[in-house]
Amino acid sequence: MIKVAVAEDNTFLADSLRQKLELFPEIKLKYIAQNGEELVNYLKEDSNIDIILMDIQMPKMDGIEATREVTNKYPHIKTIMLTVMDSEKLIYESLQAGATGYLLKESKALEIYQSIENTVNNGAALSPSIALKAINFIKNPASVGQEKKSHNLTSREEEVLIHLSKGLSNNDISLNLNISVHTIRKHIENIYRKLEVGNKIEAVQLANKYHWI
């Protein structure tokens, strides 16, 4: 039995992840924390965990800081980052903090399960696109974080972009920001136009590449 904990502040995504893990009887999901701080406090009570699936952007304590603390205090626990972003900078910071894997949240249930199994057996969980970026900064670590570029997004558009980066739907963003779904759509259209991208994934990847979010 592989004992797993999850840190994910988006309840919809956390529930989706729970459903994926429940497909595999070999996995026991022990706890879902809403942020890194809650996860760390939970581990003080019960550190009998094999794998943590860790979101990166969370309130109170983000996933990279939480991973660093887990690695220092509980070296027997392995951490796989689950995120919508494959930024070289975030991959670098995650692995530096002690993460043993890095997967995109869009990964299928079987891919997540196999990554957990590989990690427990001292392997590494890196999707092909992530692996290429990891190889890039291993070859040239000085290049990580050097690129910088400005944008002309408004503060509200930046806010919407941050919500998009967390995988939230237009309805969820509307509820969180207390503005209409129609207005959210207009903000997203403006984001795509200003960043010269065609979809959410491209917008988020560009924002992470230049460290806007």
Side-chain angles (χ1 to χ4, degrees):
M1 184 69 69
I2 302 173
K3 298 175 288 295
V4 176
V6 170
E8 170 60 71
D9 65 319
N10 183 314
T11 54
F12 174 80
L13 294 177
D15 189 57
S16 174
L17 187 55
R18 177 186 58 77
Q19 292 177 34
K20 290 178 180 179
L21 295 176
E22 286 178 348
L23 295 173
F24 305 97
E26 301 89 345
I27 290 181
K28 179 180 181 181
L29 178 58
K30 295 189 67 175
Y31 191 75
I32 297 179
Q34 294 187 336
N35 55 67
E37 182 179 274
E38 185 180 330
L39 174 72
V40 169
N41 288 335
Y42 168 74
L43 291 174
K44 292 176 183 177
E45 303 297 325
D46 180 5
S47 61
N48 184 22
I49 298 289
D50 299 308
I51 296 285
I52 296 172
L53 299 180
M54 185 85 76
D55 184 22
I56 290 183
Q57 291 185 311
M58 295 183 290
K60 296 187 178 180
M61 181 187 291
D62 66 34
I64 292 174
E65 184 181 350
T67 297
R68 188 174 294 112
E69 188 153 342
V70 169
T71 300
N72 290 334
K73 293 184 178 179
Y74 311 100
H76 66 283
I77 300 177
K78 298 179 179 179
T79 303
I80 298 174
M81 313 306 284
L82 273 183
T83 179
V84 296
M85 298 164 287
D86 61 353
S87 152
E88 284 185 12
K89 179 176 182 290
L90 290 179
I91 296 169
Y92 176 79
E93 290 180 353
S94 298
L95 298 181
Q96 284 286 93
T100 51
Y102 195 109
L103 295 175
L104 298 178
K105 287 183 180 179
E106 63 194 35
S107 301
K108 303 296 185 183
L110 183 59
E111 183 180 358
I112 294 174
Y113 168 71
Q114 290 173 336
S115 298
I116 290 173
E117 191 175 45
N118 288 340
T119 301
V120 166
N121 292 319
N122 297 316
L126 293 173
S127 61
S129 64
I130 301 296
L132 287 174
K133 290 180 181 291
I135 290 170
N136 179 61
F137 70 67
I138 288 171
K139 288 181 176 179
N140 187 19
S143 68
V144 177
Q146 283 187 349
E147 284 185 297
K148 201 73 176 176
K149 186 177 179 181
S150 62
H151 64 72
N152 62 342
L153 300 181
T154 66
S155 58
R156 177 62 88 183
E157 287 164 357
E158 276 191 1
E159 205 169 11
V160 171
L161 183 56
I162 289 171
H163 280 69
L164 288 175
S165 75
K166 299 181 75 63
L168 297 179
S169 68
N170 291 358
N171 286 336
D172 289 335
I173 299 173
S174 170
L175 291 172
N176 285 350
L177 300 183
N178 197 29
I179 53 181
S180 72
V181 174
H182 174 73
T183 302
I184 295 297
R185 292 196 188 102
K186 291 300 296 181
H187 283 315
I188 292 174
E189 287 177 9
N190 290 336
I191 290 169
Y192 291 175
R193 176 177 52 80
K194 290 179 179 180
L195 300 187
E196 298 181 349
V197 297
N199 54 56
K200 176 178 70 175
I201 293 175
E202 290 178 1
V204 171
Q205 288 179 339
L206 190 65
N208 276 284
K209 178 178 180 180
Y210 295 114
H211 321 309
W212 297 331
I213 58 176

